[in-house]
Amino acid sequence: MPVIKINNLSKSYGEIHAVRNVSLEVAKGSIFGFLGPNGAGKTTTINILCTLLKPTSGTASIAGYDCNTESSGVRNHIGIVFQDTTLDKDLTAYENLLFHAYLYSVKRKDRKKKIEDSLEFVGLYERRHDLVKKFSGGMKRRLEVARGLIHDPEVLFLDEPTLGLDPQSRSNLWEFITKLPEKQGVTVFMTTHYMEEAEVCDQIAIIDRGSIIAQGTPNELKKSIGGDIIYIKTSDNEKAASDIEKLLNLKPTIKNGEIYVTVERGDTCLPELIRTLGESVLSVRLQRPTLNDVFLQLTGKQIRDVEISAGATLKENVRSHRRKFGRD
Amino acid sequence: MAEINAVYVLIARDLKKFVREKSRLLSTLARPVIWLFLVGGGMSRLVSDSMGMPYIQFIFPGILGMTILFGSIFSSISIIWDKEFGLMKEILVAPVSRFSIVIGKALSGSLISLLQATMILLISPIIGIDLGLQQIIYALAVSFLLAFCISSLGIIIATFFESFESFSAIMNFIVMPMFFLSGAMYPVQKLPDILKGVSKVNPLTYGVDALKHALLQDSRFTDFSIAMDIGVLIAASIIFVSIAGYLFTKRI
């Protein structure tokens, strides 16, 4: 049963098309990754889903509530961790969550327990009476995740949750993001432009310049670009290459003193290759495609390049449009 | 119920922070006291004889008005702070109406100003103004109404600015002129026509006038009737809070 349904969603700012005809479904209890370079339309889509923006056309619904017409229903059933910190630094961790509990009308008798439970879940219970301005970036992000959970949302949105965190806080954060569906019964919808982080997702959609260019599980996406690559060095590369072609029916190429072949499943093909070539093998290396390779294949660009050029200018255009004409 | 919870928690947050930041509390009280004793005391020598009342007593309602003006404006434009540092987004995605947010903010500004005004009222015996209970209640009621009006105006201002860099512009072009053209320091009747016109559309003028009614009880110093003062303040409050509610849904 999909908990989020998006159908032909578009958002334009005058001539600028931030989101074009996006359609997708997110299954209940899954972790969904929305990938793409900065300025691809991820945050715009999230803002529409969170009822902060009205779409130009198309529909979206969360837990059965229409994002355009039933904003109060949607808001009651989602939790959000925005890209930038949205905590009150002059209040304590506990007070920040209490503030949230009131805004979401959490029942009086449940308030304290819910707040303490979620502080416990993110490992900040001991620090609950400290002012947030004393917290590190990673702690603030965890506190925001905790805050997003106290009204028992159906969907938790995480917009670039690891942006600006050091590697340790990042892996720490990932550890409990992946536990969320099981422990808190919440569906996670996250955006990221770090492709390697999206590996933990059950489903992924890749967006570029406002349009979705690929959807599937991480494995499906990686398979779609032709599978694994095996690099072999032998004492006689010429002979080995022709053997591989004849005996295993593959298409090897020799490059830089190495043979490389693309195969569907590297893990099962590798032993076969070594058996075939016997003692002439000097070294072997298996490379699995990453989601970065997927993006590269689909767009012909590295995700980091796109960020600087198209992403930056689109963002700037959208902002100046907003300044001129207001939010909607 | 959701809306009442939201209004309550917005007020509770601001009050908690107001009480917690001792330096802010101190500085908001220092300004009116400095004005009252340094400006008021200094000017007393110059003008007292011709007025029929010590100058320091004459400006006391104006200084109370000033306390409310600054307290309310500062409280409301903390919205700009919240926009810049993110908390406003958390408030805006919550399942509460924009209008409740405006009401919550306007009420928190009013209550904080009322607290400050109460503390300034405690000075009155020192400068020779003796107040009865009825006058105090009357002055506090006017203070609250004025504070609500100015807080709502502050919210309107806050919707137009994205960062706190605009703070000095707000001070110089809105707050200070409002203060000087309110009759707080000198009677507005003696101003040139154009400035007199401006002072007549300044809500603070009516607030200060109502405070003069309450505290001085001398019709030589008031410009309008009490009914007119209160009427204008109520009308301005309703207009400002409606505009603020509209702008909040449109702009933020």
Side-chain angles (χ1 to χ4, degrees), chain A residues 52 72 75-76 80 82 85-92 95 99-100 102-105 131 147 327, chain B residues 2 5-6 8-10 13 16-17 20 85-87 89-96 98 250-252:
Chain A
L52 282 178
S72 172
R75 288 168 183 206
N76 268 311
I80 310 149
F82 289 105
T85 311
T86 59
L87 296 162
D88 189 330
K89 296 179 197 66
D90 299 314
L91 294 179
T92 65
E95 286 164 350
F99 183 75
H100 183 92
Y102 271 99
L103 279 184
Y104 285 79
S105 294
L131 291 181
R147 182 175 68 181
R327 286 277 152 168
Chain B
N5 274 336
Y8 166 78
V9 81
L10 284 166
R13 164 184 175 240
K16 181 155 243 161
K17 285 173 72 170
R20 189 170 284 168
F85 294 102
L87 191 83
K89 247 184 166 174
E90 146 87 355
I91 299 170
L92 291 177
V93 292
V96 294
R98 298 284 194 267
K250 277 286 152 197
R251 289 187 62 91
I252 296 193

Side-chain angles (χ1 to χ4, degrees), chain B:
Chain B
M1 196 57 204
E3 308 297 330
I4 294 169
N5 274 336
V7 170
Y8 166 78
V9 81
L10 284 166
I11 297 171
R13 164 184 175 240
D14 284 354
L15 284 179
K16 181 155 243 161
K17 285 173 72 170
F18 178 72
V19 175
R20 189 170 284 168
E21 291 165 43
K22 301 279 187 295
S23 62
R24 186 175 150 210
L25 184 68
L26 212 65
S27 71
T28 52
L29 290 178
R31 184 184 300 107
V33 171
I34 287 171
W35 274 78
L36 187 63
F37 287 102
L38 300 191
V39 180
M43 295 285 282
S44 277
R45 313 259 170 236
L46 220 60
V47 288
S48 71
D49 292 348
S50 55
M51 289 194 71
M53 168 183 281
Y55 183 67
I56 198 167
Q57 290 184 8
F58 169 78
I59 63 166
F60 186 65
I63 295 297
L64 199 59
M66 170 201 223
T67 312
I68 294 161
L69 171 69
F70 281 84
S72 303
I73 290 277
F74 284 157
S75 179
S76 290
I77 61 177
S78 69
I79 288 173
I80 301 176
W81 202 264
D82 285 341
K83 280 201 276 185
E84 200 174 356
F85 294 102
L87 191 83
M88 189 46 70
K89 247 184 166 174
E90 146 87 355
I91 299 170
L92 291 177
V93 292
V96 294
S97 77
R98 298 284 194 267
F99 202 71
S100 300
I101 299 170
V102 168
I103 293 288
K105 271 302 196 183
L107 284 177
S108 81
S110 317
L111 287 173
I112 287 172
S113 290
L114 191 64
L115 275 177
Q116 296 173 347
T118 310
M119 288 183 252
I120 296 301
L121 268 181
L122 294 176
I123 303 174
S124 59
I126 302 174
I127 59 164
I129 297 181
D130 289 318
L131 298 174
L133 184 64
Q134 211 183 340
Q135 277 175 288
I136 292 175
I137 293 170
Y138 178 20
L140 289 178
V142 171
S143 297
F144 184 78
L145 183 56
L146 175 63
F148 188 83
C149 181
I150 305 285
S151 296
S152 309
L153 177 65
I155 296 170
I156 295 177
I157 296 169
T159 59
F160 288 95
F161 295 96
E162 295 296 327
S163 88
F164 233 68
E165 284 157 35
S166 35
F167 180 75
S168 70
I170 295 171
M171 280 303 293
N172 289 332
F173 294 109
I174 300 172
V175 179
M176 291 319 279
M178 269 181 84
F179 172 58
F180 285 117
L181 294 177
S182 69
M185 303 302 290
Y186 37 78
V188 281
Q189 297 101 318
K190 290 177 186 158
L191 290 173
D193 279 346
I194 186 158
L195 292 181
K196 215 195 288 186
V198 175
S199 80
K200 284 211 169 122
V201 296
N202 178 3
L204 187 62
T205 306
Y206 301 90
V208 169
D209 198 63
L211 289 171
K212 284 177 181 167
H213 276 292
L215 301 172
L216 304 181
Q217 297 199 305
D218 189 332
S219 60
R220 280 177 302 164
F221 301 113
T222 53
D223 297 319
F224 313 102
S225 68
I226 302 170
M228 169 127 183
D229 291 335
I230 303 291
V232 169
L233 286 178
I234 290 175
S237 296
I238 293 170
I239 293 169
F240 288 158
V241 91
S242 311
I243 295 175
Y246 172 80
L247 288 175
F248 234 70
T249 39
K250 277 286 152 197
R251 289 187 62 91
I252 296 193

Side-chain angles (χ1 to χ4, degrees), chain A residues 51 73 102 104 111 135 143 157 160 174 176-177 192 211 216 219 222 237 254 289 318 321 324:
Chain A
T51 73
Y102 271 99
Y104 285 79
R111 259 179 230 146
F135 282 16
L143 183 60
F157 288 95
E160 302 275 355
W174 276 119
F176 63 75
I177 286 179
T192 182
S211 306
N219 277 330
K222 283 185 269 186
N237 283 347
I254 301 174
V318 168
H321 188 277
K324 264 183 258 164

